[in-house]
Amino acid sequence: MNKSAGISIVSALLVAAGALVGCSGAQQAKVAKGRSLISDAERALASIQVQNVFSKHCYYHEAGKHRAEMEDIWVSKDGEYAKTAKWTQPMGVNLGYEAIWNFYVVNKEKALAKTLEDISKIDPSIRNVPENLGVGGEWASHTQSTPIIEIAGDGKSAKAIWESPGLHFTADIRDGKIRKSGSWFWEKYAADFVKEDGQWKIWHVAMYYENIPPGWNADTDT
């Protein structure tokens, strides 16, 4: 095939695609019958944005920055979705922004402070000061794979589900010694998202274990 023939074929495909998009847009407008529906392009962009929001959860959790996560990618603490925000896990359900904050931020920070205190008593070279908060604390990676993301027709809400293979490490302090304890897990995440002030935010999260090592205490993980 010569170069000019290849260009002609590409041009024909682009024209055909344009006609299909125009047809799709006209059909969508007809189906809408007065309702405001977003376009396929807007839906595709929204899917990427939703994926990015939940990927941030993984990075925030790995870094132990739960406070920053709640303030950045969750629904507002004083917004219309605050009371119905929910986090479901194998160890229980936290309903409402305040309950999630206490579970995911306050309790986490208390646990980190206790771990640092215990480690500093065994190894004085690790000082019990605020800048060392997190030393020996939980590190967990909840990766997101095989996403299925559905955007509502009006583009104001979304739902998604992921498979999530991951790892968990923390300090094991016993008998005056510091050891490293860790494990792997395979779980599934599901989440609902809403738009607040034009930005996608996490509204509901549910996490379920599918496969964990025998004898592992899953209740300690977040």
Side-chain angles (χ1 to χ4, degrees):
M1 181 186 294
N2 61 42
K3 185 174 181 180
S4 60
I7 294 174
S8 297
I9 291 173
V10 172
S11 299
L13 288 173
L14 290 173
V15 170
L20 287 173
V21 170
C23 180
S24 174
Q27 290 176 341
Q28 187 180 73
K30 183 177 180 180
V31 171
K33 294 183 178 179
R35 291 184 297 135
S36 178
L37 299 179
I38 62 174
S39 66
D40 289 345
E42 290 173 311
R43 186 174 292 105
L45 175 60
S47 294
I48 295 172
Q49 292 172 332
V50 165
Q51 175 67 65
N52 285 347
V53 168
F54 208 66
S55 291
K56 285 183 179 181
H57 160 67
C58 178
Y59 287 109
Y60 274 126
H61 188 33
E62 284 183 355
K65 296 184 178 296
H66 294 184
R67 180 179 293 267
E69 175 185 333
M70 290 286 294
E71 293 173 344
D72 181 26
I73 61 175
W74 280 77
V75 294
S76 172
K77 63 181 180 181
D78 52 6
E80 63 175 307
Y81 302 104
K83 292 183 178 180
T84 53
K86 183 164 63 174
W87 191 322
T88 303
Q89 298 196 39
M91 64 286 294
V93 178
N94 295 282
L95 179 60
Y97 188 96
E98 184 176 355
I100 298 171
W101 181 271
N102 288 332
F103 162 73
Y104 192 55
V105 177
V106 177
N107 290 345
K108 176 68 174 180
E109 290 178 352
K110 286 181 179 179
L112 292 176
K114 179 64 166 60
T115 298
L116 176 59
E117 179 183 1
D118 293 342
I119 288 177
S120 66
K121 290 178 180 178
I122 298 172
D123 185 353
S125 67
I126 301 175
R127 296 186 302 148
N128 186 7
V129 292
E131 52 265 35
N132 283 339
L133 189 66
V135 172
E138 179 196 39
W139 178 89
S141 178
H142 297 260
T143 61
Q144 287 90 46
S145 67
T146 58
I148 299 176
I149 301 172
E150 298 287 347
I151 308 298
D154 60 6
K156 296 180 180 179
S157 62
K159 58 183 178 180
I161 189 168
W162 295 264
E163 291 287 351
S164 181
L167 298 169
H168 165 93
F169 293 103
T170 189
D172 180 12
I173 305 171
R174 288 181 295 171
D175 304 323
K177 295 182 179 180
I178 306 171
R179 303 176 180 87
K180 183 171 70 173
S181 175
S183 189
W184 59 266
F185 44 78
W186 199 287
E187 58 197 13
K188 186 181 262 81
Y189 267 102
D192 293 322
F193 303 81
V194 290
K195 267 196 167 180
E196 279 191 334
D197 299 324
Q199 300 296 317
W200 286 106
K201 300 291 183 177
I202 297 174
W203 184 19
H204 305 136
V205 170
M207 184 271 279
Y208 306 95
Y209 288 110
E210 296 180 295
N211 195 2
I212 58 176
W216 182 50
N217 182 10
D219 288 348
T220 63
D221 184 50
T222 54

